[in-house]
């Protein structure tokens, strides 16, 4: 089946044409990162407007690159949620318009299920059932993927997502946005020495995550280091605490804090991911989402998994971050099982 898919849940406008859920004919992603960088995070209203500006061009480009006319598309998949409501609506409205005009079926896709299905685009040999860890800016979730139509959420974060913690801590340290790649770079080759931050909910059998205590521990450490106090912010988000000049002077301390923070996140993800794979007797642990780009996570997960005879599977980075090819892969599985949505379906900010 030739599926056109659309993804607009956050700050990437993406469209893709995929054949039979496995062959990517085109995969177009327009990122708004530069626009949101100056605000230190995604601004929802701005993101929706940018999706409106980009969506037609992105869909057209996906069709051109796939070398297909709209009339050859057999079905449409679109991210229904979870995500930013205004952003989701842009993709859904476009999908509905096209499905109506072309008189073809359409289906709404769960964004996190799409992340899990990204692995099948790269590794069709990954068979069901398997365990998957989706670790991104908005989510840190563990799934037992029993079959394409039976995906159970078995663990999730109780507060911040791992990527969100990277972004907030980078902001706090005055390092910029998005935080993940910057913290990874700053922490590169750094031994955190005596700096050690707490790991939350590590008790046996617990598959949930919590990163807000870690974020606060970093805040306290930085406050102590520079003898400053974070001003009260009702939004709950952090601001750079320290003037850039002093940060430059304290480069080594900042690098140690970044390394200790990264270590705490990575250890938590490795322990819980592998615990989950063991619990469900899964030979493979699929790790996807933007944070799966982290090289320390990849290395540590690979080392620890080997001890347990588990194979960690990381899709290529391009398929880890938000894209529409994964939405097409997921939609293909749903459509093949006769799961379609009519024009009445709406966006779900939480799902
Ligand atoms: O999956 P994604 O592209 O978007 C969604 O949130 O859905 O993930 C973005 C997140 C950001 O929080 C970013 O800081 C984090 O992934 N990230 C990383 C790395 N690259 C991106 N976190 C840690 N290490 C990285 N190398
Ligand atoms: Zn995502």
């Amino acid at each position: 089946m030739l599926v056109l898919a659309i993804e607009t849940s956050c700050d990437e406008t993406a469209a893709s044409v995929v054949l039979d859920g496995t062959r990517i004919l085109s995969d177009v992603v327009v990122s708004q990162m530069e626009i949101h960088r100056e605000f230190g995070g995604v601004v929802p209203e701005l993101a929706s407007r940018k999706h409106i500006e980009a969506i037609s061009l992105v869909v057209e480009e996906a069709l051109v690159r796939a070398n297909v006319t709209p009339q050859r598309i057999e079905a449409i998949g679109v991210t229904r949620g979870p995500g930013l409501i205004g952003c989701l609506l842009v993709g859904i409205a476009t999908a509905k318009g096209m499905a109506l005009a072309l008189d073809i079926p359409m289906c709404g896709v769960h964004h996190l299920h799409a992340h899990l299905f990204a692995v099948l685009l790269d590794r069709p040999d990954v068979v069901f059932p398997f365990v998957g860890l989706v670790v991104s800016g908005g989510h840190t979730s563990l799934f037992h993927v029993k079959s394409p139509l039976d995906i159970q959420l078995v663990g999730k974060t109780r507060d911040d997502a791992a990527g969100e913690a990277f972004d907030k801590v980078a902001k706090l340290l005055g390092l910029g946005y998005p935080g993940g790649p910057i913290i990874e770079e700053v922490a590169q080759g750094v031994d955190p020495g005596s700096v050690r931050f707490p790991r939350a909910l590590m008790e046996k059998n617990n598959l949930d995550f919590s990163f807000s205590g870690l974020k606060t521990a970093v805040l306290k450490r930085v406050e102590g280091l520079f003898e400053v106090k974070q001003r009260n912010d009702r939004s709950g988000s952090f601001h750079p605490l320290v003037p850039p000049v002093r940060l430059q002077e304290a480069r080594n301390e900042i690098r140690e804090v970044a390394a200790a923070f990264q270590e705490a996140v990575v250890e938590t993800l490795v322990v819980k991911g592998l615990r989950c794979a063991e619990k469900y007797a899964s030979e493979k642990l699929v790790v996807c989402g933007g944070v799966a780009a982290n090289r320390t996570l990849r290395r540590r997960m690979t080392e620890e998994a080997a001890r347990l005879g588990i194979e960690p599977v990381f899709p290529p980075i391009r398929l880890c971050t938000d894209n529409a090819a994964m939405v097409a892969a997921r939609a293909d599985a749903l459509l093949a099982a006769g799961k379609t949505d009519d024009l009445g379906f709406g966006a779900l900010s939480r799902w």
Side-chain angles (χ1 to χ4, degrees):
M1 188 176 359
L2 195 61
V3 173
L4 168 74
I6 296 172
E7 154 66 41
T8 59
S9 66
C10 190
D11 62 340
E12 268 95 21
T13 316
S16 169
V17 178
V18 173
L19 181 63
D20 296 335
T22 49
R23 249 193 82 206
I24 303 175
L25 302 189
S26 67
D27 177 18
V28 180
V29 180
V30 172
S31 170
Q32 304 175 1
M33 196 190 294
E34 289 309 319
I35 294 158
H36 299 288
R37 195 188 295 277
E38 69 171 290
F39 304 101
V42 178
V43 182
E45 176 60 20
L46 199 52
S48 324
R49 290 178 193 208
K50 291 294 162 190
H51 283 308
I52 293 170
E53 284 171 24
I55 190 70
S56 302
L57 287 171
V58 168
V59 169
E60 245 176 75
E61 184 66 20
L63 291 168
V64 168
R65 287 195 199 173
N67 199 20
V68 296
T69 58
Q71 287 69 29
R72 281 192 47 212
I73 298 296
E74 291 168 277
I76 298 197
V78 62
T79 303
R80 184 179 187 189
L84 299 169
I85 198 82
C87 296
L88 291 164
L89 285 171
V90 177
I92 291 174
T94 308
K96 285 181 181 176
M98 289 192 71
L100 189 62
L102 297 168
D103 194 22
I104 52 177
M106 162 182 62
C107 80
V109 166
H110 191 297
H111 181 75
L112 300 186
H113 295 178
H115 268 299
L116 293 166
F117 270 64
V119 73
L120 301 174
L121 292 164
D122 181 55
R123 289 276 306 267
D125 61 306
V126 173
V127 290
F128 300 92
F130 62 87
V131 159
L133 169 63
V134 182
V135 59
S136 71
H139 303 275
T140 305
S141 306
L142 278 163
F143 291 94
H144 184 209
V145 189
K146 292 186 183 171
S147 73
L149 297 184
D150 189 358
I151 303 178
Q152 309 275 342
L153 177 69
V154 293
K156 63 178 182 357
T157 182
R158 297 187 186 173
D159 38 60
D160 292 347
E164 186 181 358
F166 268 100
D167 294 337
K168 286 180 177 171
V169 164
K171 194 170 178 181
L172 174 72
L173 297 175
L175 296 173
Y177 174 84
I182 307 175
I183 289 195
E184 176 166 18
E185 194 193 318
V186 169
Q188 178 80 27
V190 177
D191 177 357
S194 60
V195 189
R196 191 184 151 87
F197 293 121
R199 284 82 164 132
L201 307 177
M202 296 303 271
E203 327 67 87
K204 220 164 159 259
N205 298 330
N206 194 320
L207 292 176
D208 282 343
F209 302 87
S210 165
F211 294 108
S212 81
L214 170 60
K215 183 185 69 188
T216 307
V218 174
L219 171 69
K220 295 284 167 230
R221 172 96 197 171
V222 176
E223 282 182 344
L225 218 56
F226 294 96
E227 293 168 2
V228 288
K229 194 105 190 99
Q230 171 79 15
R231 70 187 153 85
N232 207 0
D233 178 352
R234 282 168 57 211
S235 77
S237 70
F238 289 156
H239 295 284
L241 266 183
V242 186
V245 179
R246 287 186 66 197
L247 272 179
Q248 244 6 71
E249 285 166 4
R251 195 86 189 134
N252 282 343
E253 283 90 337
I254 293 294
R255 282 161 65 102
E256 276 178 11
V257 169
F261 162 78
Q262 178 173 263
E263 210 166 274
V265 176
V266 165
E267 188 183 321
T268 310
L269 296 175
V270 169
V271 167
K272 305 245 170 180
L274 293 174
R275 181 180 287 171
C276 189
E278 278 193 301
K279 176 170 178 184
Y280 293 100
S282 175
E283 285 168 14
K284 291 186 168 56
L285 171 64
V286 171
V287 188
C288 47
V291 181
N294 188 282
R295 279 163 296 174
T296 305
L297 173 63
R298 286 177 176 241
R299 194 187 69 244
R300 293 280 274 282
M301 189 68 96
T302 306
E303 285 165 5
E304 295 302 319
R307 283 187 232 282
L308 301 170
I310 293 168
E311 185 197 352
V313 183
F314 292 91
I317 288 168
R318 186 175 169 74
L319 291 174
C320 278
T321 51
D322 285 350
N323 64 85
M326 66 184 193
V327 178
R330 178 65 189 140
D332 194 281
L334 291 170
L335 291 159
K339 308 261 176 211
T340 58
D341 287 298
D342 61 28
L343 288 173
F345 88 94
L348 298 171
S349 62
R350 287 165 179 273
W351 188 351

PDB file of all heavy atoms in Angstrom, residues 111 115 136-138 163-164 166-167 178-181 184 289-291 293-294 321-322, ligand 1:
ATOM      1  N   HIS A 111       1.487   9.108  18.321  1.00  0.00           N
ATOM      2  CA  HIS A 111       2.854   9.543  18.019  1.00  0.00           C
ATOM      3  C   HIS A 111       3.914   8.593  18.598  1.00  0.00           C
ATOM      4  O   HIS A 111       4.927   8.303  17.945  1.00  0.00           O
ATOM      5  CB  HIS A 111       3.049  10.961  18.579  1.00  0.00           C
ATOM      6  CG  HIS A 111       4.400  11.540  18.326  1.00  0.00           C
ATOM      7  ND1 HIS A 111       4.797  12.003  17.086  1.00  0.00           N
ATOM      8  CD2 HIS A 111       5.468  11.720  19.144  1.00  0.00           C
ATOM      9  CE1 HIS A 111       6.048  12.447  17.164  1.00  0.00           C
ATOM     10  NE2 HIS A 111       6.476  12.292  18.397  1.00  0.00           N
ATOM     11  N   HIS A 115       6.862   6.267  16.844  1.00  0.00           N
ATOM     12  CA  HIS A 115       8.292   6.198  17.194  1.00  0.00           C
ATOM     13  C   HIS A 115       8.748   4.737  17.259  1.00  0.00           C
ATOM     14  O   HIS A 115       9.827   4.392  16.790  1.00  0.00           O
ATOM     15  CB  HIS A 115       8.548   6.865  18.544  1.00  0.00           C
ATOM     16  CG  HIS A 115       8.902   8.323  18.447  1.00  0.00           C
ATOM     17  ND1 HIS A 115      10.009   8.764  17.768  1.00  0.00           N
ATOM     18  CD2 HIS A 115       8.303   9.436  18.940  1.00  0.00           C
ATOM     19  CE1 HIS A 115      10.085  10.093  17.861  1.00  0.00           C
ATOM     20  NE2 HIS A 115       9.043  10.528  18.553  1.00  0.00           N
ATOM     21  N   SER A 136      12.252  11.034  24.506  1.00  0.00           N
ATOM     22  CA  SER A 136      12.322  12.236  23.670  1.00  0.00           C
ATOM     23  C   SER A 136      12.139  13.487  24.516  1.00  0.00           C
ATOM     24  O   SER A 136      12.206  13.437  25.744  1.00  0.00           O
ATOM     25  CB  SER A 136      11.221  12.162  22.600  1.00  0.00           C
ATOM     26  OG  SER A 136       9.966  12.339  23.212  1.00  0.00           O
ATOM     27  N   GLY A 137      11.886  14.618  23.846  1.00  0.00           N
ATOM     28  CA  GLY A 137      11.696  15.871  24.567  1.00  0.00           C
ATOM     29  C   GLY A 137      10.374  15.887  25.329  1.00  0.00           C
ATOM     30  O   GLY A 137      10.241  16.570  26.348  1.00  0.00           O
ATOM     31  N   GLY A 138       9.401  15.134  24.854  1.00  0.00           N
ATOM     32  CA  GLY A 138       8.081  15.162  25.480  1.00  0.00           C
ATOM     33  C   GLY A 138       7.747  13.894  26.248  1.00  0.00           C
ATOM     34  O   GLY A 138       6.797  13.875  27.039  1.00  0.00           O
ATOM     35  N   GLY A 163      14.447  14.178  27.749  1.00  0.00           N
ATOM     36  CA  GLY A 163      14.920  15.241  26.862  1.00  0.00           C
ATOM     37  C   GLY A 163      14.613  16.622  27.434  1.00  0.00           C
ATOM     38  O   GLY A 163      15.418  17.560  27.324  1.00  0.00           O
ATOM     39  N   GLU A 164      13.448  16.708  28.049  1.00  0.00           N
ATOM     40  CA  GLU A 164      13.044  17.973  28.685  1.00  0.00           C
ATOM     41  C   GLU A 164      14.038  18.332  29.800  1.00  0.00           C
ATOM     42  O   GLU A 164      14.418  19.495  29.961  1.00  0.00           O
ATOM     43  CB  GLU A 164      11.643  17.758  29.271  1.00  0.00           C
ATOM     44  CG  GLU A 164      10.979  18.954  29.853  1.00  0.00           C
ATOM     45  CD  GLU A 164       9.592  18.557  30.426  1.00  0.00           C
ATOM     46  OE1 GLU A 164       9.179  17.381  30.327  1.00  0.00           O
ATOM     47  OE2 GLU A 164       8.948  19.456  30.984  1.00  0.00           O
ATOM     48  N   PHE A 166      17.207  17.421  29.901  1.00  0.00           N
ATOM     49  CA  PHE A 166      18.422  17.885  29.213  1.00  0.00           C
ATOM     50  C   PHE A 166      18.250  19.359  28.821  1.00  0.00           C
ATOM     51  O   PHE A 166      19.153  20.173  29.011  1.00  0.00           O
ATOM     52  CB  PHE A 166      18.667  17.051  27.940  1.00  0.00           C
ATOM     53  CG  PHE A 166      19.566  15.853  28.142  1.00  0.00           C
ATOM     54  CD1 PHE A 166      19.037  14.580  28.298  1.00  0.00           C
ATOM     55  CD2 PHE A 166      20.942  15.994  28.158  1.00  0.00           C
ATOM     56  CE1 PHE A 166      19.861  13.472  28.472  1.00  0.00           C
ATOM     57  CE2 PHE A 166      21.783  14.899  28.328  1.00  0.00           C
ATOM     58  CZ  PHE A 166      21.234  13.632  28.490  1.00  0.00           C
ATOM     59  N   ASP A 167      17.083  19.682  28.267  1.00  0.00           N
ATOM     60  CA  ASP A 167      16.864  21.057  27.790  1.00  0.00           C
ATOM     61  C   ASP A 167      16.855  22.050  28.947  1.00  0.00           C
ATOM     62  O   ASP A 167      17.431  23.128  28.863  1.00  0.00           O
ATOM     63  CB  ASP A 167      15.545  21.139  27.003  1.00  0.00           C
ATOM     64  CG  ASP A 167      15.605  20.332  25.712  1.00  0.00           C
ATOM     65  OD1 ASP A 167      16.722  20.091  25.213  1.00  0.00           O
ATOM     66  OD2 ASP A 167      14.543  19.924  25.209  1.00  0.00           O
ATOM     67  N   PRO A 178      18.793  23.149  21.517  1.00  0.00           N
ATOM     68  CA  PRO A 178      18.300  22.141  22.455  1.00  0.00           C
ATOM     69  C   PRO A 178      19.434  21.587  23.311  1.00  0.00           C
ATOM     70  O   PRO A 178      20.570  21.440  22.861  1.00  0.00           O
ATOM     71  CB  PRO A 178      17.713  21.070  21.539  1.00  0.00           C
ATOM     72  CG  PRO A 178      18.464  21.204  20.266  1.00  0.00           C
ATOM     73  CD  PRO A 178      18.858  22.644  20.142  1.00  0.00           C
ATOM     74  N   GLY A 179      19.094  21.238  24.540  1.00  0.00           N
ATOM     75  CA  GLY A 179      20.101  20.918  25.540  1.00  0.00           C
ATOM     76  C   GLY A 179      20.842  19.609  25.322  1.00  0.00           C
ATOM     77  O   GLY A 179      22.024  19.509  25.651  1.00  0.00           O
ATOM     78  N   GLY A 180      20.163  18.590  24.770  1.00  0.00           N
ATOM     79  CA  GLY A 180      20.773  17.259  24.669  1.00  0.00           C
ATOM     80  C   GLY A 180      22.127  17.262  23.989  1.00  0.00           C
ATOM     81  O   GLY A 180      23.142  16.884  24.597  1.00  0.00           O
ATOM     82  N   PRO A 181      22.164  17.704  22.724  1.00  0.00           N
ATOM     83  CA  PRO A 181      23.449  17.666  22.021  1.00  0.00           C
ATOM     84  C   PRO A 181      24.508  18.553  22.678  1.00  0.00           C
ATOM     85  O   PRO A 181      25.690  18.203  22.694  1.00  0.00           O
ATOM     86  CB  PRO A 181      23.123  18.203  20.624  1.00  0.00           C
ATOM     87  CG  PRO A 181      21.639  18.144  20.509  1.00  0.00           C
ATOM     88  CD  PRO A 181      21.074  18.159  21.884  1.00  0.00           C
ATOM     89  N   GLU A 184      25.803  16.849  25.826  1.00  0.00           N
ATOM     90  CA  GLU A 184      26.647  15.725  25.396  1.00  0.00           C
ATOM     91  C   GLU A 184      28.042  16.225  25.019  1.00  0.00           C
ATOM     92  O   GLU A 184      29.049  15.643  25.405  1.00  0.00           O
ATOM     93  CB  GLU A 184      25.998  15.011  24.200  1.00  0.00           C
ATOM     94  CG  GLU A 184      26.893  13.911  23.669  1.00  0.00           C
ATOM     95  CD  GLU A 184      26.203  12.951  22.717  1.00  0.00           C
ATOM     96  OE1 GLU A 184      25.135  13.287  22.172  1.00  0.00           O
ATOM     97  OE2 GLU A 184      26.767  11.859  22.516  1.00  0.00           O
ATOM     98  N   GLY A 289      13.492   7.901  19.789  1.00  0.00           N
ATOM     99  CA  GLY A 289      13.228   9.254  20.272  1.00  0.00           C
ATOM    100  C   GLY A 289      14.528  10.045  20.253  1.00  0.00           C
ATOM    101  O   GLY A 289      15.621   9.465  20.173  1.00  0.00           O
ATOM    102  N   GLY A 290      14.441  11.364  20.347  1.00  0.00           N
ATOM    103  CA  GLY A 290      15.605  12.241  20.186  1.00  0.00           C
ATOM    104  C   GLY A 290      16.766  11.928  21.112  1.00  0.00           C
ATOM    105  O   GLY A 290      17.933  11.995  20.704  1.00  0.00           O
ATOM    106  N   VAL A 291      16.486  11.537  22.362  1.00  0.00           N
ATOM    107  CA  VAL A 291      17.565  11.284  23.325  1.00  0.00           C
ATOM    108  C   VAL A 291      18.357  10.024  22.940  1.00  0.00           C
ATOM    109  O   VAL A 291      19.510   9.857  23.357  1.00  0.00           O
ATOM    110  CB  VAL A 291      16.998  11.190  24.768  1.00  0.00           C
ATOM    111  CG1 VAL A 291      18.101  10.955  25.789  1.00  0.00           C
ATOM    112  CG2 VAL A 291      16.234  12.461  25.122  1.00  0.00           C
ATOM    113  N   ALA A 293      19.790   9.593  20.426  1.00  0.00           N
ATOM    114  CA  ALA A 293      20.967  10.033  19.668  1.00  0.00           C
ATOM    115  C   ALA A 293      22.196  10.108  20.578  1.00  0.00           C
ATOM    116  O   ALA A 293      23.325  10.143  20.089  1.00  0.00           O
ATOM    117  CB  ALA A 293      20.703  11.404  19.048  1.00  0.00           C
ATOM    118  N   ASN A 294      21.988  10.123  21.886  1.00  0.00           N
ATOM    119  CA  ASN A 294      23.085  10.325  22.840  1.00  0.00           C
ATOM    120  C   ASN A 294      24.081   9.153  22.798  1.00  0.00           C
ATOM    121  O   ASN A 294      23.713   8.000  23.033  1.00  0.00           O
ATOM    122  CB  ASN A 294      22.499  10.496  24.246  1.00  0.00           C
ATOM    123  CG  ASN A 294      23.548  10.889  25.243  1.00  0.00           C
ATOM    124  OD1 ASN A 294      24.316  10.069  25.704  1.00  0.00           O
ATOM    125  ND2 ASN A 294      23.585  12.170  25.574  1.00  0.00           N
ATOM    126  N   THR A 321      14.501  10.945  15.657  1.00  0.00           N
ATOM    127  CA  THR A 321      13.846  12.234  15.903  1.00  0.00           C
ATOM    128  C   THR A 321      12.553  12.277  15.082  1.00  0.00           C
ATOM    129  O   THR A 321      12.309  11.403  14.237  1.00  0.00           O
ATOM    130  CB  THR A 321      14.782  13.391  15.527  1.00  0.00           C
ATOM    131  OG1 THR A 321      15.269  13.165  14.221  1.00  0.00           O
ATOM    132  CG2 THR A 321      15.973  13.465  16.471  1.00  0.00           C
ATOM    133  N   ASP A 322      11.722  13.288  15.346  1.00  0.00           N
ATOM    134  CA  ASP A 322      10.396  13.309  14.729  1.00  0.00           C
ATOM    135  C   ASP A 322      10.466  13.324  13.199  1.00  0.00           C
ATOM    136  O   ASP A 322      11.218  14.094  12.617  1.00  0.00           O
ATOM    137  CB  ASP A 322       9.611  14.534  15.228  1.00  0.00           C
ATOM    138  CG  ASP A 322       9.130  14.315  16.653  1.00  0.00           C
ATOM    139  OD1 ASP A 322       9.233  13.179  17.154  1.00  0.00           O
ATOM    140  OD2 ASP A 322       8.637  15.281  17.257  1.00  0.00           O
TER     141      ASP A 322
HETATM  142  O1  LIG B   1      12.196  13.052  19.527  1.00  0.00           O
HETATM  143  P1  LIG B   1      12.593  14.495  19.473  1.00  0.00           P
HETATM  144  O2  LIG B   1      13.327  14.977  18.260  1.00  0.00           O
HETATM  145  O3  LIG B   1      11.357  15.425  19.629  1.00  0.00           O
HETATM  146  C1  LIG B   1      10.332  15.169  20.528  1.00  0.00           C
HETATM  147  O4  LIG B   1      10.481  15.633  21.681  1.00  0.00           O
HETATM  148  O5  LIG B   1       9.368  14.462  20.145  1.00  0.00           O
HETATM  149  O6  LIG B   1      13.473  14.763  20.806  1.00  0.00           O
HETATM  150  C2  LIG B   1      14.020  16.016  21.115  1.00  0.00           C
HETATM  151  C3  LIG B   1      14.752  15.896  22.433  1.00  0.00           C
HETATM  152  C4  LIG B   1      15.233  17.237  22.979  1.00  0.00           C
HETATM  153  O7  LIG B   1      14.837  17.345  24.311  1.00  0.00           O
HETATM  154  C5  LIG B   1      16.747  17.135  22.855  1.00  0.00           C
HETATM  155  O8  LIG B   1      17.443  17.859  23.845  1.00  0.00           O
HETATM  156  C6  LIG B   1      16.977  15.646  22.985  1.00  0.00           C
HETATM  157  O9  LIG B   1      15.898  15.053  22.286  1.00  0.00           O
HETATM  158  N1  LIG B   1      18.244  15.233  22.358  1.00  0.00           N
HETATM  159  C7  LIG B   1      19.253  14.680  23.043  1.00  0.00           C
HETATM  160  C8  LIG B   1      20.313  14.509  22.106  1.00  0.00           C
HETATM  161  N2  LIG B   1      19.886  14.946  20.887  1.00  0.00           N
HETATM  162  C9  LIG B   1      18.599  15.381  21.067  1.00  0.00           C
HETATM  163  N3  LIG B   1      19.382  14.341  24.333  1.00  0.00           N
HETATM  164  C10 LIG B   1      20.560  13.823  24.735  1.00  0.00           C
HETATM  165  N4  LIG B   1      21.626  13.649  23.913  1.00  0.00           N
HETATM  166  C11 LIG B   1      21.536  13.965  22.597  1.00  0.00           C
HETATM  167  N5  LIG B   1      22.594  13.797  21.798  1.00  0.00           N
END
